[in-house]
Amino acid sequence: MKNAGIYLHIPFCLSRCSYCDFATGMYNEASAERYVLNLITEIESWREVEPPENVDTIYFGGGTPSLLTPPQLEALLKAVRERFTVSANSEITIEINPGSVTSDKLTAFREIGINRASFGAQTFDDHELARLGRSHSSNDTRQTFRHLRDAGFDNISLDLIAGLPGQTMAGWKRNLDEAFSLRPEHVSFYLLEVHQSTPLANHIKSGLQPQPDEDLAAEMYEAMLDRAVAEGYEHYEISNLCLPGRAARHNTKYWIAAPYYGFGCSAHSYDGGFRRWANERDLVRYSEMIEQDGKAIVQETLLTEADRQAEAVFLGLRMMQGLSFRDYEELFGADLRDQHESDLARFLEAGLIECNGDLLRLTRAGALLSNEVFAAFV
Ligand code: SF4
């Protein structure tokens, strides 16, 4: 069996970014303290899988988990270690927003065992940062990155978003220059998604900001890949690149059907087999449920064999190394080539996928149109 990952959702931020539709609210000390106690209660009373798989990754996501104090994060890690068997060489990641941490705090994070930072730079253009409602400047990004290195973080992932309203290719290339000059071990790259009912969606609707240009965003994706490969990065997942050996161990669990157990409001879990479940999204309601009976699960899905086959294809194809026909057959006793003969022929013909021996994988063009490819397998 594959080792499990633990996800801890910390739903607090200093301000609300205009494009954000995550389950997160404004930070204040009292709410954070109550929430941490509730998370610990949830971890202590968790009995969803018995015995659970051993754990080798822990991920503090959000929100802005770096707003929590080192003692709060340490208390959460202690609760996880008491409830689960956690490997000594676990990857322990925290998401950090530029300007949200002092260098002393980062040193304290390292001291409690956090060994990886996922760093939300998004763009190095101050006008774009302001338009997105981000709470930091590009100088904050450079400075926090230096502080991370000084504190001993030798595994840093940088997030960038392309396709912002009004963004030009020249501006995007300046972003790439800045990002790669920092030499992060890992880069996560997103194309902007405009979610209904976010302030950004309203700004675009009312003409305050231009409509994002999807074709230009696709060119930015290509430019990003060319630049990253030239810089020695491996493109290992549709949206993720890394220096050799630095793939995100936690996130990889989502793509290889490993178990992961999520805690906190809106957290999702998977037992590695046939069951997925999700917690209440609303923070207040989550807290009430935990205080009442120690759990806040509001949704559960039992996967059929067909669901698992579809997931194996569309999650497996996210990995650029490709999906093994042999592994698929061993797992499901069926040949993917027979099951999806016409879809595979269509996508091969369109240049969206390619076969290399036992491996089926997306081409670069396929990575950009991945949702169309995946839809055929669901
Ligand atoms: S920092 Fe992240 S989670 Fe917080 S509001 Fe901005 S996008 Fe959302």
Side-chain angles (χ1 to χ4, degrees):
M1 227 4 229
K2 295 160 183 158
N3 286 326
I6 300 286
Y7 175 80
L8 300 151
H9 187 70
I10 311 298
F12 303 109
C13 288
L14 287 177
S15 59
R16 183 87 183 168
C17 303
S18 65
Y19 58 94
C20 180
D21 79 333
F22 295 139
T24 183
M26 286 303 120
Y27 172 81
N28 72 65
E29 262 180 47
S31 307
E33 191 57 33
R34 178 183 176 198
Y35 185 76
V36 168
L37 292 175
N38 285 330
L39 266 179
I40 291 172
T41 302
E42 187 189 4
I43 296 165
E44 286 173 349
S45 32
W46 188 91
R47 295 287 177 276
E48 298 308 315
V49 179
E50 284 294 3
E53 304 309 326
N54 288 354
V55 164
D56 67 355
T57 65
I58 301 174
Y59 192 101
F60 292 101
T64 309
S66 50
L67 293 173
L68 293 190
T69 63
Q72 287 172 329
L73 293 165
E74 190 174 25
L76 291 168
L77 288 173
K78 180 167 175 274
V80 169
R81 290 199 171 100
E82 282 172 2
R83 180 65 192 84
F84 299 93
T85 304
V86 179
S87 305
N89 73 342
S90 290
E91 175 192 90
I92 306 181
T93 305
I94 187 165
E95 289 179 356
I96 291 177
N97 273 334
S100 69
V101 277
T102 62
S103 58
D104 286 349
K105 197 172 187 184
L106 292 173
T107 304
F109 287 172
R110 287 291 292 126
E111 283 167 3
I112 62 173
I114 296 174
N115 52 27
R116 185 171 182 272
S118 174
F119 189 51
Q122 317 308 4
T123 166
F124 287 83
D125 181 310
D126 285 327
H127 297 294
E128 288 169 359
L129 286 169
R131 280 205 297 270
L132 292 176
R134 301 284 299 175
S135 61
H136 60 91
S137 67
S138 58
N139 266 339
D140 291 329
T141 305
R142 292 180 204 101
Q143 189 183 51
T144 306
F145 195 90
R146 272 197 305 277
H147 289 327
L148 279 163
R149 288 295 194 219
D150 291 345
F153 278 90
D154 60 4
N155 198 0
I156 304 177
S157 178
L158 202 83
D159 289 353
L160 288 176
I161 306 181
L164 301 176
Q167 194 171 39
T168 63
M169 182 56 96
W172 175 243
K173 286 190 171 164
R174 279 194 296 276
N175 264 336
L176 298 182
D177 289 343
E178 290 262 15
F180 287 111
S181 72
L182 296 174
R183 203 75 190 151
E185 283 69 31
H186 188 279
V187 179
S188 291
F189 165 89
Y190 302 97
L191 294 179
L192 180 72
E193 275 183 59
V194 181
H195 297 283
Q196 292 296 324
S197 76
T198 56
L200 180 62
N202 294 334
H203 294 166
I204 292 170
K205 214 154 120 197
S206 63
L208 264 178
Q209 294 202 44
Q211 188 78 31
D213 180 336
E214 284 181 17
D215 293 336
L216 182 58
E219 286 171 29
M220 289 176 180
Y221 182 72
E222 297 268 0
M224 160 86 173
L225 293 183
D226 288 342
R227 176 66 186 269
V229 170
E231 296 273 354
Y233 288 76
E234 292 168 2
H235 181 208
Y236 74 98
E237 196 270 346
I238 289 181
S239 305
N240 290 283
L241 302 119
C242 65
L243 291 176
R246 297 307 188 102
R249 285 164 55 193
H250 181 82
N251 293 31
T252 298
K253 292 188 189 298
Y254 302 137
W255 308 312
I256 61 168
Y260 51 87
Y261 312 132
F263 296 91
C265 61
S266 80
H268 285 64
S269 302
Y270 175 51
D271 69 358
F274 288 86
R275 180 170 172 246
R276 294 187 178 278
W277 63 101
N279 275 356
E280 167 63 41
R281 182 180 162 97
D282 179 76
L283 170 59
V284 174
R285 183 79 194 114
Y286 164 83
S287 295
E288 288 168 356
M289 291 174 80
I290 295 294
E291 284 161 12
Q292 245 165 39
D293 65 356
K295 57 202 277 191
I297 297 172
V298 290
Q299 191 193 331
E300 182 172 355
T301 309
L302 294 179
L303 304 176
T304 63
E305 190 71 352
D307 293 333
R308 292 183 74 223
Q309 290 179 2
E311 287 193 356
V313 177
F314 69 76
L315 293 176
L317 280 181
R318 291 197 65 95
M319 304 291 289
M320 301 314 289
Q321 71 180 21
L323 175 74
S324 156
F325 289 116
R326 201 178 320 117
D327 289 354
Y328 183 93
E329 187 157 6
E330 269 172 28
L331 205 55
F332 300 114
D335 189 328
L336 183 63
R337 285 163 289 210
D338 295 339
Q339 286 179 313
H340 288 281
E341 197 177 347
S342 64
D343 290 324
L344 292 176
R346 181 161 58 95
F347 294 137
L348 271 171
E349 166 86 19
L352 300 182
I353 57 172
E354 61 191 12
C355 286
N356 185 357
D358 175 52
L359 292 173
L360 170 70
R361 61 180 168 229
L362 292 177
T363 60
R364 268 198 192 187
L368 270 168
L369 294 173
S370 55
N371 287 340
E372 268 179 46
V373 177
F374 299 158
F377 296 97
V378 178

